Amino acid sequence: MSDTVALIVAAGRGSRAAPGPAGVPKQYRPLAGRPVLRWGAEAFARHPAVAKVRIVIHGDDRAHYEVAMSGLALGEAIAGGATRQDSVRLGLEALAADRPACVLIHDAARPFVSQALIGRICDALDGADAAAPMLPVADTLRRETSGQYDIVARDGLLRTQTPQGFRFDAILDAHRRFKNAGATDDIALAGLAGLGVVRVPGEEANLKLTTPDDFALAERIAAGAQSDVRTGFGFDVHRFAPGDHLWLCGVKIPHDAGLAGHSDADAGLHALTDALLGTIGAGDIGAHFPPSDAQWKGAPSHVFLAHAARLVRERGGTIGHADVTLICERPRIGPHREAMRARIAEILDIERGRVSVKATTTEGLGFTGRAEGIAAQAVATVRLPS
Ligand code: MG
């Protein structure tokens, strides 16, 4: 089945979640360095059975959306409605011109949808109009009435998750017919429309982020979901040349010499770029930005480093730490160290506490000792999806 579109609903206001960074709805809050919404979008985009991912957003969230999804080749965001049901219907209407065979409707607040679960839903749609992941209830259930706690029988009770999958024409028709049903999920509308629903096993890790506790648990799951830890190493040298300043780790330093190179000759950022590329086996800086290409002449090296960071993130990775050692007799690095850490953190979009800049001399020995040039080494650690 190739003609399947994933429709992620991200238009909610998340009023039950704890207030996060001021004015940021929960689906755009970071989870292990990536916005919650992006986790789900990348999971569907990665699945071979999903041809396209479209996202329904709140009209106020366009700026959050652009930042959260940068670099992902998704179609234009779809404007949602006042309720979840309205938002899904508007999403389906936006897909109607393309008329995919199937649609997988997913809540943005469930970032840990697995490849296996997406596959189970797609497989179930081969023989059914609708499919949803469900799980039994393990806890004892009680209903409170005026201080009395009466047990509710668990028999037959099922927790329902997303993604919920449908033959596209069938669910669009159900949404058009039952516009005011007040449904909290789409299987409810499938039921009203008399569609046959198939149940597939849900997953405990596919939790819906609602409360502050959920976010704490999600951070732990996110760390486990990225257990493929990679370390990359980089090394670079540039020779001194006439000049009155040089660039090191993204900071301009006045000096009685400059550094020669095709770009701005920032050996620190070049070494770190190679270290990041090394974590994902993506070659070296020269392969991505050939010195033979005139467009990189005099280029600021933050462009190279940001590119490497983007490649890591496109693999679903999180940058754990970056450590640069500058090797030179002069200029003195100490006075610029904190500015360098801050600049690297900014380029990589990680916390400053995850960036280290160190310096050493070679005791007057070798080319660095003779002040012929500056060398830099860097190590970077990333976590990739396991
Ligand atoms: Mg270089």
Side-chain angles (χ1 to χ4, degrees), residues 237-322:
V237 170
H238 281 271
R239 68 168 63 242
F240 282 117
D244 61 4
H245 71 275
L246 45 80
W247 287 88
L248 280 176
C249 293
V251 173
K252 185 178 181 179
I253 300 174
H255 192 53
D256 57 13
L259 287 172
H262 188 69
S263 64
D264 65 7
D266 187 332
L269 292 192
H270 293 183
L272 184 53
T273 300
D274 268 354
L276 274 180
L277 293 174
T279 64
I280 53 170
D284 58 29
I285 192 170
H288 291 265
F289 303 97
S292 55
D293 189 335
Q295 70 169 307
W296 308 121
K297 184 158 176 52
S301 296
H302 65 79
V303 171
F304 310 150
L305 184 59
H307 172 78
R310 191 161 56 246
L311 291 181
V312 168
R313 295 208 165 94
E314 283 172 8
R315 288 279 305 273
T318 301
I319 299 168
H321 108 296

Side-chain angles (χ1 to χ4, degrees), residues 72-235:
L72 291 182
L74 304 180
E76 200 193 332
I78 301 163
T83 65
R84 184 189 183 282
Q85 188 181 333
D86 287 342
S87 292
V88 174
R89 190 186 69 256
L90 292 166
L92 294 171
E93 294 288 359
L95 300 178
D98 287 345
R99 254 190 104 196
C102 295
V103 61
L104 309 179
I105 303 173
H106 186 64
D107 288 329
R110 294 185 189 272
F112 301 127
V113 55
S114 72
Q115 299 294 289
L117 178 52
I118 296 170
R120 286 200 291 279
I121 295 289
C122 289
D123 289 348
L125 289 177
D126 279 343
D129 284 328
M134 299 188 201
L135 287 166
V137 177
D139 295 333
T140 297
L141 297 180
R142 285 191 163 77
R143 175 173 289 117
E144 186 198 353
T145 317
S146 312
Q148 297 293 310
Y149 298 94
D150 300 321
I151 286 193
V152 177
R154 287 189 306 227
D155 310 329
L157 288 185
L158 292 164
R159 294 179 287 144
T160 310
Q161 303 181 325
T162 70
Q164 298 178 355
F166 305 90
R167 306 299 303 179
F168 180 78
D169 289 347
I171 193 64
L172 175 60
D173 178 63
H175 267 273
R176 286 174 174 171
R177 282 168 61 199
F178 301 102
K179 263 185 198 173
N180 301 313
T184 54
D185 76 357
D186 303 285
I187 289 295
L189 295 180
L192 289 174
L195 304 181
V197 177
V198 168
R199 180 213 322 180
V200 308
E203 295 180 354
E204 292 293 346
N206 182 32
L207 81 165
K208 184 171 185 177
L209 304 189
T210 307
T211 66
D213 273 0
D214 297 335
F215 271 86
L217 176 58
E219 286 288 350
R220 294 201 294 277
I221 294 174
Q226 295 180 308
S227 59
D228 184 1
V229 177
R230 307 278 189 91
T231 303
F233 178 76
F235 177 74

